[in-house]
Amino acid sequence: MHTYDPALADLVLGSLRDRLSNRPALNHPGEGDKLDRVLAGLIGPEGNDPAEVLRLWTEQVAPTTITVDSPRFLSFVPAAPTQAAALFDALVSCSSIQGVSWLLASGPIAAENQVLRLLADLAGMPAEAGGCFVSGGSAGNLSALVTARDTARRRQGLGPYDRVRFAVSDQAHSSVGNALRIIGVEPFTVPTTDHRLTGPALRAALLADADPSDVIGVAATAGTTNAGIIDDLAGIATVAREFDLWFHVDGAYGGAGLLAPSVRHRYRGIEHADSLVIDPHKWLFAPFDCAALLYRDPRLARAAHTQDASYLDALHTDDDTQWNPSDYAHHLSRRARGLPLWFSLAVHGTRAYGEAVEKALTLARASAALIRNTPHLGLIREPELSAVLFRRTGWTAEDYTEWSARLLAGQTAFVAPTGWEGETVARLTFLHPETSLDMVREIIETMR
């Protein structure tokens, strides 16, 4: 079973080459009963011909996956890994790298840390900033909030069951609220002005509270998922310092905008973050799954996350240069998921990345102008990043749902409706460098 099989390797590598050179169609969701029939009996005591299993995958299973890296996938937050990143991800997968510690993977970890240093520098964080790569924004937010909670409890002499709260806006990503629930921290919800959390609103909410002393931190957003709105990071940072709050920034989607000169000013204040999350598998063209988690003072994360056990003693030394990613998040075992991004950045350079991000921003602005000038459409707000919200005059929620289904059925695009202030609306999110304004025109034409 573990013997190298040249024929099997050639078969799978051939499929990989086909996937890289021939981007598949958008495809359609599968039907559960049909998939059950296709897969029935496939796994049993005896094996199967690998060519037949691969054929089944290619013809029956893969087409039920909506292609997130298609330039016509414009829902949620898409992905568009570079060929360099995708290929290197395959190499990482077959290298069996246990990226938990310096002892086991010093070279890969050093390469990952080079990328983390780049991101920290883009955000203006200090030289000692650092962290690790985790699976996604949810894991990053959870790990950062655990660090914030434990740091506050230690500094304030609180017990493990003493009440603490964390300030969040009503626009924070769902994973932030979920993380707070998991770790037993209550949300202190601050109302937003025009869907943006501001420093004055945070200060006013704290001063109006009967006892704000148990509010230990604030989570700001650098690019909301629905509309790409960047919070008042500078104002929030000022209030965080004033009230001695941990300042967390969720830049899972929007953090890549730090590479784009046209929007860089919107991130003023991010340099004061105590923790920061950016998902390269979104707008930094890495494959799933990859999120960068950075701390202003990594020692605080080590105090919160380092796992102690006799079987882990060999991983921990007094040498601070031996960086263990397991010490900076809730994980232990991990793949070296930052390496595909490292390879792609080394191959293409940061200028190409910045240009690709700017291209999406330019397309969002051009699409907004196109929508604004189309009589039966209404632009909901000018895009700050690459998400564009708009409405079709007279449409109901059912109309948007039917329209979305028609677009996917015709393989024109995948555009899922969203909600905005209680109304169902349309939303386009641009990320893929090959998405064009002509594609947007084609989509808009279907809304007559």
Side-chain angles (χ1 to χ4, degrees):
M1 191 167 70
H2 290 81
T3 304
Y4 175 67
D5 184 340
L8 178 59
D10 289 343
L11 191 68
V12 175
L13 289 173
S15 182
L16 174 62
R17 282 192 294 269
D18 288 342
R19 178 59 173 80
L20 289 171
S21 59
N22 301 301
R23 183 181 292 112
L26 277 169
N27 296 323
H28 307 272
E31 299 174 6
D33 56 348
K34 182 179 179 181
L35 287 168
D36 286 343
R37 290 194 299 271
V38 166
L39 297 172
L42 186 65
I43 297 178
E46 304 302 326
N48 299 275
D49 179 357
E52 177 59 22
V53 178
L54 193 58
R55 183 198 64 77
L56 186 148
W57 161 261
T58 303
E59 297 179 4
Q60 302 291 338
V61 180
T64 66
T65 303
I66 297 180
T67 309
V68 179
D69 60 343
S70 166
R72 293 179 178 271
F73 186 105
L74 303 177
S75 293
F76 311 114
V77 180
T82 65
Q83 187 176 92
L87 283 167
F88 205 76
D89 190 49
L91 179 58
V92 172
S93 293
C94 72
S95 298
S96 298
I97 299 171
Q98 169 54 293
V100 63
S101 69
W102 188 263
L103 174 66
L104 298 174
S106 55
I109 290 169
E112 286 187 314
N113 285 350
Q114 187 177 30
V115 180
L116 291 171
R117 183 69 258 159
L118 168 67
L119 298 177
D121 288 343
L122 284 171
M125 298 178 81
E128 60 270 19
C132 63
F133 284 97
V134 295
S135 61
S138 295
N141 287 329
L142 175 61
S143 298
L145 296 179
V146 166
T147 302
R149 179 200 64 185
D150 288 6
T151 299
R153 283 178 170 166
R154 186 171 58 254
R155 287 176 174 174
Q156 297 178 25
L158 300 175
Y161 301 108
D162 289 336
R163 182 194 193 211
V164 289
R165 294 182 289 169
F166 214 92
V168 297
S169 82
D170 53 12
Q171 301 297 304
H173 190 269
S174 58
S175 66
V176 173
N178 193 46
L180 293 177
R181 179 185 60 80
I182 291 170
I183 67 175
V185 174
E186 296 180 29
F188 176 71
T189 304
V190 180
T192 57
T193 301
D194 191 28
H195 302 270
R196 174 181 282 105
L197 179 62
T198 66
L202 175 61
R203 181 183 289 107
L206 289 166
L207 293 175
D209 191 73
D211 182 13
S213 63
D214 61 8
V215 179
I216 61 171
V218 56
T221 306
T224 59
T225 301
N226 217 19
I229 298 168
I230 300 173
D231 286 340
D232 169 26
L233 302 179
I236 296 167
T238 297
V239 177
R241 291 195 298 272
E242 180 182 335
F243 286 83
D244 194 23
L245 305 178
W246 182 281
F247 180 31
H248 175 65
V249 178
D250 177 5
Y253 155 48
L258 290 166
L259 279 161
S262 68
V263 296
R264 181 62 183 81
H265 62 284
R266 297 185 184 274
Y267 297 85
R268 188 171 62 86
I270 199 171
E271 66 274 12
H272 300 296
D274 291 297
S275 52
L276 169 64
V277 173
I278 300 174
D279 284 7
H281 65 221
K282 291 185 171 74
W283 210 358
L284 287 178
F285 316 112
F288 293 112
D289 51 13
C290 179
L293 169 59
L294 288 162
Y295 298 97
R296 185 176 200 83
D297 184 351
R299 294 173 302 175
L300 301 176
R302 284 204 306 271
H305 291 290
T306 298
Q307 298 185 34
D308 291 317
S310 58
Y311 44 81
L312 298 176
D313 287 348
L315 306 185
H316 302 297
T317 71
D318 295 329
D319 186 351
D320 289 339
T321 66
Q322 295 191 9
W323 195 268
N324 295 334
S326 59
D327 293 341
Y328 302 98
H330 66 78
H331 56 211
L332 188 58
S333 297
R334 63 178 288 275
R335 71 192 303 265
R337 53 175 50 89
L339 290 180
L341 176 61
W342 167 80
F343 183 76
S344 185
L345 281 166
V347 168
H348 295 293
T350 57
R351 183 181 295 111
Y353 270 71
E355 290 170 353
V357 173
E358 285 284 13
K359 188 171 184 178
L361 294 168
T362 299
L363 180 57
R365 296 171 194 134
S367 298
L370 180 61
I371 291 165
R372 195 185 310 110
N373 294 324
T374 302
H376 56 280
L377 301 181
L379 183 68
I380 291 174
R381 60 183 299 126
E382 293 294 332
E384 289 187 30
L385 295 176
S386 66
V388 181
L389 293 169
F390 63 105
R391 61 173 60 88
R392 168 60 162 92
T393 304
W395 272 16
T396 65
E398 291 74 19
D399 291 323
Y400 285 103
T401 300
E402 293 172 4
W403 167 69
S404 176
R406 289 198 307 272
L407 283 177
L408 184 58
Q411 298 290 280
T412 303
F414 180 56
V415 182
T418 191
W420 183 259
E421 298 181 347
E423 175 190 5
T424 300
V425 299
R427 174 179 174 275
L428 303 173
T429 305
F430 303 110
L431 183 154
H432 202 297
E434 294 179 16
T435 305
S436 67
L437 190 59
D438 285 340
M439 292 179 186
V440 179
R441 291 193 183 97
E442 185 180 359
I443 293 167
I444 288 175
E445 281 296 316
T446 66
M447 302 184 81
R448 291 188 178 279

